[in-house]
């Protein structure tokens, strides 16, 4: 697990890119990897995260009271605090985003002490959302819920989003999206995220 705190020059916003899936063959992890490449190409300090590197128990208030925040939560939270933006590729489970994402957000939303500003991992961050699914809608139905969750804890979520349907056949062997329109839409979404984060860093 990396516990390094990202740093970047003023013009290179730090973007954390990750998927809401742990699955080895995850389509959303593929989409995240691609988004990370595009963010780098747009001049960001883009960092691909694997949530598997930050294993967290299911949130339990008794556990938190007894032991404080788990090490993985503290390590991941430090990375969120230090970043400017998030790119999240989320699977859709029964019309929702995944419990992995909800549990991660819940832990990261917790304060270690009263001195810590509330929601330090999320306040004033900017996020772009995407999804991939073997289904025809590409996981689109889960994204409004994720948008509401993040918006409610201080994240500015970009209006545009991307859903990649038929994901089993959407990626070429080199990891790129076969469909040119989808590839262009991903590039535009990531470009908007990087540009917005860059402008906000200057404020
Ligand atoms: C519990 C569960 C519920 C699912 N519900 C949906 C759904 O509502 N819509 C959909 O498009 N796919 C649904 N799927 C299929 C997922 O989109 C598919 O498993 C996808 O590959 C998961 O993302 P990943 O490849 O990034 O792991 C569901 C899968 C699981 C395990």
């Amino acid at each position: 697990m990396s516990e390094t705190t990202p740093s970047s020059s003023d013009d290179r916003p730090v973007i954390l890119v990750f998927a809401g899936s742990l699955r080895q063959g995850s389509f959303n992890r593929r989409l995240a990897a691609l988004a990370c490449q595009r963010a780098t190409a747009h001049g960001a300090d883009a960092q691909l995260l694997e949530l598997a590197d930050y294993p967290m128990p299911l949130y339990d208030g008794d556990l938190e009271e007894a032991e404080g925040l788990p090490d993985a939560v503290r390590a991941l939270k430090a990375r969120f605090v230090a970043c400017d933006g998030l790119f999240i590729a989320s699977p859709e489970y029964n019309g929702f985003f995944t419990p992995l994402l909800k549990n991660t957000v819940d832990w990261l939303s917790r304060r270690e002490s009263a001195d810590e500003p509330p929601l330090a991992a999320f306040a004033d961050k900017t996020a772009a959302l995407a999804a991939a699914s073997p289904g025809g809608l590409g996981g689109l139905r889960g994204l409004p819920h994720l948008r509401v969750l993040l918006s409610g804890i201080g994240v500015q979520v970009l209006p545009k989003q991307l859903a990649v349907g038929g994901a089993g056949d959407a990626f070429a062997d080199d990891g790129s999206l076969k469909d040119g329109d989808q590839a262009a839409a991903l590039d535009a979404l990531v470009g908007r995220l990087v540009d917005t984060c860059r402008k906000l860093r200057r404020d």
Side-chain angles (χ1 to χ4, degrees):
M1 185 189 308
S2 164
E3 301 209 16
T4 54
T5 301
S7 63
S8 106
S9 68
D10 279 348
D11 257 6
R12 295 186 70 218
V14 177
I15 311 280
L16 300 183
V17 184
F18 59 98
S21 175
L22 302 172
R23 207 169 67 83
Q24 203 57 37
S26 163
F27 302 121
N28 287 280
R29 288 180 57 233
R30 282 200 225 177
L31 193 56
L34 198 50
C36 192
Q37 284 176 18
R38 297 318 309 150
T40 301
H42 281 281
D45 177 357
Q47 304 175 6
L48 190 61
L49 281 184
E50 293 291 351
L51 293 185
D53 290 338
Y54 299 89
M56 298 174 191
L58 194 58
Y59 178 78
D60 173 353
D62 290 340
L63 175 74
E64 184 187 22
E65 200 172 318
E67 299 178 18
L69 298 187
D71 287 348
V73 174
R74 295 174 65 236
L76 187 57
K77 193 169 160 190
R79 296 192 68 178
F80 270 62
V81 168
C83 85
D84 299 290
L86 308 168
F87 183 97
I88 307 176
S90 175
E92 177 182 307
Y93 284 1
N94 298 314
F96 238 77
F97 57 88
T98 58
L100 170 69
L101 277 177
K102 182 63 164 61
N103 193 51
T104 302
V105 168
D106 287 344
W107 271 117
L108 295 182
S109 72
R110 304 298 294 164
R111 282 204 274 186
E112 284 218 87
S113 71
D115 307 337
E116 189 184 316
L119 298 170
F122 299 103
D124 301 323
K125 311 298 180 191
T126 303
L129 307 183
S133 164
L137 292 180
L140 186 66
R141 294 183 309 151
L143 296 184
H145 305 294
L146 184 54
R147 181 177 292 278
V148 167
L149 170 69
L150 295 173
S151 301
I153 54 175
V155 178
Q156 171 185 225
V157 185
L158 295 183
K160 289 246 165 121
Q161 57 191 25
L162 176 69
V164 176
D169 192 40
F171 295 90
D173 289 343
D174 65 0
S176 61
L177 283 164
K178 290 181 189 168
D179 183 284
D181 289 344
Q182 279 186 340
L186 177 67
D187 188 56
L189 179 60
V190 171
R192 177 63 61 92
L193 175 65
V194 174
D195 195 41
T196 303
C197 290
R198 189 180 282 126
K199 286 175 177 151
L200 288 173
R201 276 177 83 86
R202 291 182 189 140
D203 282 353

